[in-house]
């Protein structure tokens, strides 16, 4: 991972309404540092609709348009077009949504924007459940996790939806994953996305201590262990979905070390954990194979 | 310049002359021609606008919401299921106080599938806070678009123009097309005070607690009440430049009428022909067309109907378990102020033709009805 310096400027002030250790809040602070003041935001229903603060206050210095749950991407498209017609082609328009607003209800509008290749940055802060409504499963919730709608007696058995592949299938110019444990990397990606025309999709792993039954001080540690245990691979997809780079330059850690401190996985038996470990490794191998395959297509490498 | 065009294209020409800057729409019969012509106009540079080709009506309205919040004039058109899919974002446009203009071609709602006209699609959006204007001719359709933008932008409220499927959308009529310069005199560029602007940042639509929410709703109602005067003034200004005016309601031969038929949309023109016929027979009958449905023109309606002896309302819609929707509104306009009897007639649902014979049947029933306070009379139902 290349290092980027973290700008001193703060665009997110005090007075936000997030819980302690909220990864989504850390992510926003870094994203805004990377984008600077000439940025307009769209936020659908999600924790961030609350975190921003209540009327007439806002903890963010850039303009924010709050919108309905399923519309982040297309409202961003509308704002971009509206600004353009007023002669402002420079402002970066960023849609900022949770995994529910991205993987589930907002998928159609996001797919539409991506298919048109509208010039927006879409950031999904992935905390792997509907947190704003009180921790219900989303299609991003991983296998084994407890949520209020996947209780321990019938925890989630279907795998997390592969949003990255879905976005890659749209042949947009830039897709990346990131983690709040690696802010330099995230900021580099956001800054890079800002320079690219078209639809950019960045998915940042953002722990939610409240929803994961996790001690807030472990938030950043979990964000790191998710990556080093290969549970949440860090990738970059460029060349309109044709080139995949997987970050491998880390000391591998165990999946159990990642899962243990989280109350949402507490009920899992040894055998179940083993099954999850196997699946994580299989996914990782598939990812590496895909990286190789794409890299070997002549003319696209 | 005069040209024979279809009703749908009258919308497109109205939008072109209004210089909308962002258009976003999704096809649905019988609206499709509106956006086909507009996308052609955008593609060949006749209009300087961004056309966002979205994947659904929900997104069409959401794109307009974004564009309008960014300070650009935004337009969309739809019909029936499309309007219903927009429902949530219709509310959003109102709450965010965005002057978006939408043309809805009244089409019946499924199931069963039907592409033909009736008003249940737009009337089931009655309470979202959009102004609703029902038009009856291609000329009126074209003319109402810049009027709608002007009204919308002054009030910071969205406006819906509503027209009958096929009877209007697909009918060709002569239209005196706008001259762009003249429209510019009438409709200045959209320049909102507060918009998405990095040099003057605001947070739009964030949380409002119980201490603020009600005030924001109150302001919407205030805008609606004020809109009556704004619509009248805009109509006058329009008349000064173009020589045509439409009013909130239109009374036809009502001065000495003992019975008045209340209608809307294209049924109004058929009704006028029937009124003429009956007048020739010496029957004192008139017609009242409701053009502006939201805000409801309570005073104007009272003014006309309180002087007559009997009122018959023709509804091309039904509020299931209630009555015809125009009928309900007329009743509430007169309630407690006059005891003129009102009868409701449901006709022409799902595109069934409301012919002069149907209107004559309703008029004859209304004239001979001994017990006229009947809420629902179904006309022409086969049983
Ligand atoms: C149409 C609609 N359905 C449901 C809701 C209720 N709702 C608000 S936020 C939310 C969950 C958001 O989850 P996610 O996008 O993952 O963001 P998070 O809360 O985790 O930050 C739901 C279900 C809504 N606002 N709109
Ligand atoms: S519930 Fe989770 S995502 Fe929401 S503010 Fe709290 S920590 Fe952040």
């Amino acid at each position: 991972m290349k290092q980027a310096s973290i700008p001193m400027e703060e665009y997110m002030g005090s007075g936000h309404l997030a819980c302690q250790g909220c990864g989504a809040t850390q992510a926003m602070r870094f994203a805004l540092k990377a984008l600077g003041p000439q940025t307009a935001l769209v936020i659908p229903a999600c924790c961030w609709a609350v975190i921003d603060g209540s009327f007439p206050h806002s903890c963010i210095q850039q303009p924010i348009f709050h919108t309905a749950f399923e519309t982040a991407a297309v409202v961003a498209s509308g704002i971009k077009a509206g600004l353009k017609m007023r002669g402002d082609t420079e402002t970066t328009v960023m849609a900022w949504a949770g995994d529910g607003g991205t993987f589930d209800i907002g998928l159609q509008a996001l797919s539409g924007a991506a298919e048109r290749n509208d010039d927006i940055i879409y950031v999904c802060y992935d905390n792997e459940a509907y947190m704003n409504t009180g921790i219900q499963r989303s299609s991003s919730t991983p296998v084994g996790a407890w949520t209020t709608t996947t209780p321990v007696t019938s925890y989630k058995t279907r795998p997390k939806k592969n949003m990255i592949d879905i976005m890659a299938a749209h042949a947009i110019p830039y897709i990346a994953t990131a983690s709040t444990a690696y802010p330099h990397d995230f900021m580099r990606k956001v800054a890079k996305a800002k320079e690219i025309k078209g639809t950019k999709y960045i998915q940042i792993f953002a722990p939610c201590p409240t929803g994961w039954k996790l001690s807030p001080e472990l938030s950043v540690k979990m964000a790191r262990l998710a990556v080093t245990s290969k549970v949440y691979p860090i990738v970059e997809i460029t060349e309109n979905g044709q080139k995949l780079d997987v970050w491998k330059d880390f000391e591998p850690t165990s999946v159990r070390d990642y899962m243990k401190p989280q109350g949402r996985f507490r009920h899992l038996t040894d055998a179940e954990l083993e099954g999850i470990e196997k699946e994580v490794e299989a996914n990782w191998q598939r990812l590496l194979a895909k990286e190789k395959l794409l890299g070997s297509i002549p003319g696209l490498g | 310049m005069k040209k024979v065009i279809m009703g749908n294209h009258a919308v497109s020409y109205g939008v072109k002359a209004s210089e909308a800057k962002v258009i976003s729409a999704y096809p649905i019969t019988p609206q499709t021609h509106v956006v086909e012509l507009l996308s052609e106009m955008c593609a060949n540079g006749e209009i300087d606008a961004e056309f966002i080709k979205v994947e659904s009506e929900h997104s069409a309205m959401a794109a307009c919401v974004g564009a309008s919040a960014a300070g650009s004039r935004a337009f969309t058109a739809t019909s029936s299921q499309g309007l219903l899919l927009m429902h949530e974002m219709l509310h959003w446009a109102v709450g965010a106080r965005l002057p978006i203009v939408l043309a809805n071609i009244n089409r019946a709602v499924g199931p069963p599938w039907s592409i033909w006209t009736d008003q249940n699609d737009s009337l089931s959006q009655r309470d979202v806070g959009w102004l609703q204007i029902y038009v009856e001719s291609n000329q009126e359709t074209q003319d109402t678009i810049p009027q709608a933008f002007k009204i919308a932008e002054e009030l910071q409220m969205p406006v819906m123009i509503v027209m009958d499927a096929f009877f209007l959308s697909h009918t060709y009529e002569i239209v005196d097309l706008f001259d762009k310069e003249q429209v510019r005199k009438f409709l200045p560029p959209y320049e909102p005070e507060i918009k998405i602007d990095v040099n003057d940042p605001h947070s739009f639509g964030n949380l409002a607690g119980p201490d603020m929410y009600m005030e924001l709703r109150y302001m919407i109602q205030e805008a609606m009440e004020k809109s009556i005067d704004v619509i009248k003034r805009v109509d006058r200004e329009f008349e000064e430049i173009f020589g045509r005016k439409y009013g909130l309601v239109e009374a036809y031969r009502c001065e000495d009428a003992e019975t008045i038929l209340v209608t809307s949309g294209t049924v109004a023109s058929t009704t006028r022909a029937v009124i003429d016929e009956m007048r020739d027979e010496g029957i004192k009958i008139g017609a009242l067309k409701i053009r502006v449905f939201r805000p409801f023109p309570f005073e104007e309606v009272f003014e006309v109907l309180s002087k007559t002896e009997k009122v018959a309302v023709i509804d091309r819609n039904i509020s299931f378990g209630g009555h015809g929707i125009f009928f309900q509104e007329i009743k509430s306009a007169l309630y407690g102020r006059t005891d003129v009897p009102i009868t409701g007639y449901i006709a022409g649902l799902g595109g069934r033709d409301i012919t002069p014979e149907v209107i004559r049947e309703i008029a004859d029933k209304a004239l001979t009805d001994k017990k006229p306070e009947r809420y629902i009379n179904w006309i022409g139902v086969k049983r």
Side-chain angles (χ1 to χ4, degrees):
Chain A
M1 274 187 202
K2 277 187 221 137
Q3 294 271 307
S5 65
I6 295 187
M8 295 297 284
E9 288 82 9
E10 290 291 353
Y11 300 100
M12 209 186 101
S14 54
H16 68 71
L17 301 178
C19 317
Q20 282 181 20
C22 172
T25 307
Q26 299 157 28
M28 176 68 94
R29 179 165 165 246
F30 292 123
L32 294 181
K33 278 175 180 277
L35 291 175
Q38 203 168 356
T39 306
L41 275 79
V42 181
I43 298 185
C46 62
C47 273
W48 251 104
V50 177
I51 296 170
D52 180 35
S54 100
F55 180 83
H57 305 289
S58 168
C59 68
I60 292 205
Q61 285 182 29
Q62 285 88 339
I64 301 186
F65 191 85
H66 288 268
T67 188
F69 202 10
E70 56 290 343
T71 59
V74 66
V75 170
S77 303
I79 290 174
K80 189 70 190 175
L83 290 176
K84 180 182 168 196
M85 292 313 292
R86 296 183 59 84
D88 173 0
T89 52
E90 294 305 308
T91 295
T92 303
V93 181
M94 174 169 73
W96 183 270
D99 49 285
T102 303
F103 289 54
D104 295 336
I105 200 167
L107 182 60
Q108 176 180 306
L110 172 57
S111 174
E115 188 272 332
R116 294 186 302 273
N117 204 21
D118 288 343
D119 189 19
I120 58 169
I121 299 180
Y122 189 107
V123 177
C124 166
Y125 64 92
D126 184 5
N127 55 24
E128 303 195 318
Y130 299 142
M131 297 310 178
N132 179 256
T133 35
I135 323 166
Q136 295 86 27
R137 63 91 84 181
S138 78
S139 58
S140 171
T141 303
V143 170
W146 160 91
T147 67
T148 58
T149 48
T150 49
V152 296
T153 46
S154 78
Y155 61 73
K156 184 136 182 279
T157 53
R158 292 287 300 156
K160 180 183 177 100
K161 190 187 275 183
N162 190 339
M163 252 323 270
I164 296 300
D165 274 7
I166 291 174
M167 292 315 291
H170 287 77
I172 52 175
Y174 189 72
I175 297 162
T177 59
S179 156
T180 51
Y182 303 95
H184 289 98
D185 174 63
F186 176 51
M187 285 174 48
R188 177 183 66 79
K189 285 168 175 164
V190 173
K192 185 171 174 180
K194 181 182 168 174
E195 298 309 318
I196 299 170
K197 277 237 165 306
T199 305
K200 287 81 62 176
Y201 177 79
I202 300 176
Q203 188 174 296
I204 179 159
F205 188 74
C208 166
T210 310
W212 295 3
K213 302 186 172 187
L214 176 75
S215 271
E217 72 276 12
L218 294 180
S219 176
V220 174
K221 188 174 177 189
M222 282 309 111
R224 185 162 50 248
L225 292 181
V227 175
T228 54
S229 64
K230 301 171 185 168
V231 166
Y232 208 91
I234 299 292
V235 303
E236 220 172 350
I237 300 176
T238 49
E239 300 188 16
N240 298 322
Q242 300 297 343
K243 187 167 186 301
L244 166 68
D245 289 296
V246 184
W247 186 52
K248 302 177 274 292
D249 186 18
F250 53 81
E251 282 298 316
T253 56
S254 87
V255 173
R256 281 172 207 239
D257 285 349
Y258 165 66
M259 295 179 85
K260 269 218 188 92
Q262 303 180 39
R264 63 173 173 159
F265 296 122
R266 192 164 296 144
H267 53 279
L268 296 175
T269 62
D270 250 2
E272 285 165 334
L273 283 171
E274 205 171 302
I276 291 173
E277 279 171 338
K278 279 201 182 121
E279 196 50 45
V280 166
E281 186 53 31
N283 284 339
W284 178 255
Q285 292 306 329
R286 269 195 291 270
L287 193 63
L288 295 185
K290 193 182 283 171
E291 183 185 36
K292 237 191 206 144
L293 176 73
L294 285 178
S296 66
I297 297 175
L300 295 174
Chain B
M1 185 187 58
K2 290 201 169 145
K3 202 172 166 182
V4 180
I5 58 170
M6 75 193 311
N8 276 338
H9 287 171
V11 176
S12 318
Y13 282 107
V15 174
K16 177 189 169 188
S18 303
E19 298 186 68
K21 293 292 174 198
V22 177
I23 298 162
S24 181
Y26 193 78
I28 181 170
T29 303
Q31 166 273 141
T32 316
H33 304 104
V34 175
V35 293
E36 277 176 350
L37 184 56
L38 282 171
S39 60
E40 209 178 294
M41 287 169 164
C42 287
N44 65 22
E46 260 182 85
I47 307 184
D48 178 26
E50 282 282 295
F51 197 123
I52 308 179
K53 287 144 191 168
V54 284
E55 78 300 333
S56 76
E57 287 88 353
H58 194 282
S59 284
M61 185 46 62
C64 286
V65 161
S68 188
S72 285
R73 187 169 284 159
F75 174 84
T76 189
T78 191
S79 184
S80 184
Q81 320 290 142
L83 186 67
L84 303 187
L85 186 56
M86 281 181 188
H87 177 74
E88 184 195 21
M89 297 317 288
L90 295 179
H91 277 282
W92 214 276
V94 174
R97 302 297 298 269
L98 297 170
I100 299 161
V101 169
L102 164 124
N104 182 64
I105 321 299
N106 267 151
R107 163 183 153 179
V109 174
W113 284 116
S114 167
I115 55 169
W116 311 104
T117 200
D118 77 34
Q119 299 170 324
N120 262 89
D121 57 349
S122 56
L123 290 177
S124 59
Q125 307 306 317
R126 163 177 68 169
D127 303 328
V128 298
W130 279 62
L131 280 74
Q132 288 199 4
I133 304 176
Y134 288 73
V135 296
E136 93 170 88
S137 71
N138 291 4
Q139 186 69 56
E140 185 182 355
T141 301
Q142 183 209 231
D143 293 356
T144 305
I145 303 275
Q147 283 200 356
F149 275 115
K150 191 164 176 153
I151 295 161
E153 287 162 16
E154 181 161 339
L155 296 163
Q156 292 297 121
M157 290 284 281
V159 177
M160 186 186 299
I161 291 150
V162 191
M163 53 201 276
D164 289 333
F166 300 101
F167 295 120
L168 194 54
S169 66
H170 285 57
T171 299
Y172 282 75
E173 288 179 335
I174 298 175
V175 173
D176 194 353
L177 292 182
F178 282 130
D179 170 72
K180 196 162 151 180
E181 292 309 315
Q182 268 189 320
V183 177
R184 274 195 181 154
K185 262 189 275 169
F186 172 73
L187 178 68
Y190 177 44
E191 200 49 69
E193 213 174 297
I194 298 178
K195 55 191 169 290
I196 292 169
D197 179 356
V198 289
N199 299 313
D200 179 22
H202 293 273
S203 180
F204 299 79
N206 54 352
L207 288 176
D211 59 328
M212 263 317 292
Y213 187 86
M214 196 155 154
E215 282 65 27
L216 296 169
R217 298 293 108 171
Y218 177 79
M219 286 158 76
I220 292 169
Q221 173 62 11
E222 237 180 3
M224 269 291 189
E225 285 168 10
K226 190 175 139 198
S227 69
I228 292 273
D229 288 339
V230 173
I231 296 168
K232 282 187 191 161
R233 203 198 62 238
V234 165
D235 202 34
R236 269 200 309 276
E237 288 169 10
F238 187 87
E239 188 189 11
E240 276 162 29
I241 297 177
F242 302 98
R244 302 182 288 270
K245 69 168 176 15
Y246 299 100
L248 293 153
V249 300
E250 188 198 295
Y252 186 72
R253 304 186 81 165
C254 284
E255 303 76 34
D256 61 337
E258 287 163 7
T259 300
I260 294 179
L261 302 185
V262 182
T263 61
S264 59
T266 53
V267 182
S269 32
T270 320
T271 304
R272 279 196 291 271
V274 175
I275 299 295
D276 285 344
E277 237 176 65
M278 295 178 76
R279 281 281 178 173
D280 289 347
E281 294 166 26
I283 303 165
K284 287 190 170 173
I285 191 161
L288 179 69
K289 163 180 132 175
I290 310 287
R291 172 171 137 89
V292 177
F293 177 76
R294 274 293 179 275
F296 197 78
F298 290 105
E299 284 313 311
E300 289 70 13
V301 166
F302 177 77
E303 176 68 24
V304 177
L305 297 186
S306 59
K307 294 185 187 117
T308 192
E309 286 166 25
K310 260 183 196 175
V311 175
V313 184
I314 305 178
D315 269 299
R316 196 170 220 158
N317 63 75
I318 166 85
S319 170
F320 297 118
H323 313 126
I325 294 171
F326 279 81
F327 172 80
Q328 295 170 5
E329 300 286 338
I330 301 292
K331 271 209 119 168
S332 72
L334 303 185
Y335 174 77
R337 302 172 74 184
T338 163
D339 51 10
V340 54
I342 316 169
T343 320
Y345 299 89
I346 310 280
L349 301 187
R352 187 169 298 179
D353 210 357
I354 302 186
T355 58
E357 293 71 39
V358 172
I359 294 166
R360 181 71 199 231
E361 184 189 335
I362 293 171
D364 287 341
K365 267 188 201 298
L367 288 171
T368 54
D369 207 335
K370 291 269 172 334
K371 195 171 160 293
E373 289 251 15
R374 210 156 312 124
Y375 301 151
I376 291 201
N377 292 277
W378 288 77
I379 302 300
V381 177
K382 302 180 219 88
R383 273 181 288 202

